[in-house]
């Protein structure tokens, strides 16, 4: 049975200089209909590449995409992650609340402060992309 369940994971990729020159990310999107958001990348033409990305799509396509990368000699690790907020720079503008579907960021109607309930946060990283001052940070264990 074909499932349309959406799936998303943060993964770390390590690859050889030969792979650096191939359009792997382009193929991943085109062949398997996956979307990706590169969170961190260190690539040089003569050295190994290292990349952390959020990969999303249909669960079956996701598995096929991962096999495709592995067949091309790319090693893949899951990356545990968490989100933190830099309280010293948050301006409490409220923009992030519209993108947080887990209600982990909400307006306190009395104080007009945006409260971060980190226990509700699923680390989807939506807020990190919209925050105008970069107060929301992705912390990973795979960025060495
Ligand atoms: S978008 Fe950024 S600055 Fe605005 S409330 Fe959210 S975390 Fe704070
Ligand atoms: S990472 Fe996602 S769930 Fe967590 S606070 Fe940001 S938008 Fe909400």
């Amino acid at each position: 049975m074909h499932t349309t369940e959406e799936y998303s994971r943060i993964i770390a990729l390590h690859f050889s200089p030969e792979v650096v020159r191939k359009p792997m990310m382009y193929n991943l999107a085109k062949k398997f209909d996956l979307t990706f958001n590169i969170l961190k990348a260190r690539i040089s033409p003569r050295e190994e590449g290292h990349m952390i990305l959020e990969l999303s799509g249909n669960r079956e396509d996701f598995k096929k995409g991962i096999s495709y990368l592995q067949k091309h000699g790319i090693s893949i690790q899951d990356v545990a992650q968490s989100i933190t907020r830099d309280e010293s720079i948050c301006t409490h503008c409220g923009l992030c609340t519209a993108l947080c579907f887990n209600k982990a960021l909400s307006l306190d109607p009395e104080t007009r402060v945006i409260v971060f309930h980190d226990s509700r946060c699923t680390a989807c990283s939506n807020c990190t992309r919209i925050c105008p001052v970069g107060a929301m940070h992705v912390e990973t264990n795979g960025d060495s």
Side-chain angles (χ1 to χ4, degrees), residues 85 90-96 114 131-133 135-136:
R85 180 167 72 173
C90 172
T91 59
H92 298 275
C93 67
L95 274 179
C96 55
I114 302 300
C131 177
V133 296
M136 303 303 292

Side-chain angles (χ1 to χ4, degrees), residues 83 99-100 102 104-105 116 120-127 136:
I83 301 287
L99 278 189
C100 182
N102 301 303
L105 290 156
F116 178 36
R120 292 185 200 157
C121 174
T122 57
C124 69
S125 78
N126 280 349
C127 55
M136 303 303 292

Side-chain angles (χ1 to χ4, degrees), residues 69-126:
L69 293 177
Q70 287 171 328
K71 270 185 208 146
H72 285 81
I74 297 177
S75 90
I76 298 169
Q77 289 175 304
D78 270 317
V79 176
Q81 64 164 351
S82 59
I83 301 287
T84 57
R85 180 167 72 173
D86 185 339
E87 303 294 340
S88 68
I89 60 173
C90 172
T91 59
H92 298 275
C93 67
L95 274 179
C96 55
T97 60
L99 278 189
C100 182
F101 303 117
N102 301 303
K103 302 203 181 332
L105 290 156
S106 63
L107 173 71
D108 181 324
E110 283 182 13
T111 60
R112 312 303 295 172
V113 158
I114 302 300
V115 184
F116 178 36
H117 312 273
D118 56 0
S119 61
R120 292 185 200 157
C121 174
T122 57
C124 69
S125 78
N126 280 349

Side-chain angles (χ1 to χ4, degrees), residues 32-93:
F32 305 104
D33 203 21
L34 297 173
T35 56
F36 58 88
N37 173 34
I38 296 175
L39 302 174
K40 198 168 275 193
R42 197 174 58 232
I43 302 169
S44 94
R46 280 186 286 276
E47 292 169 28
E48 289 209 330
H50 176 76
M51 190 185 284
I52 295 178
L53 53 87
E54 181 181 18
L55 192 60
S56 312
N58 173 278
R59 191 182 276 268
E60 286 182 9
D61 292 335
F62 187 98
K63 280 191 207 156
K64 287 179 195 160
I66 293 289
S67 308
Y68 170 79
L69 293 177
Q70 287 171 328
K71 270 185 208 146
H72 285 81
I74 297 177
S75 90
I76 298 169
Q77 289 175 304
D78 270 317
V79 176
Q81 64 164 351
S82 59
I83 301 287
T84 57
R85 180 167 72 173
D86 185 339
E87 303 294 340
S88 68
I89 60 173
C90 172
T91 59
H92 298 275
C93 67

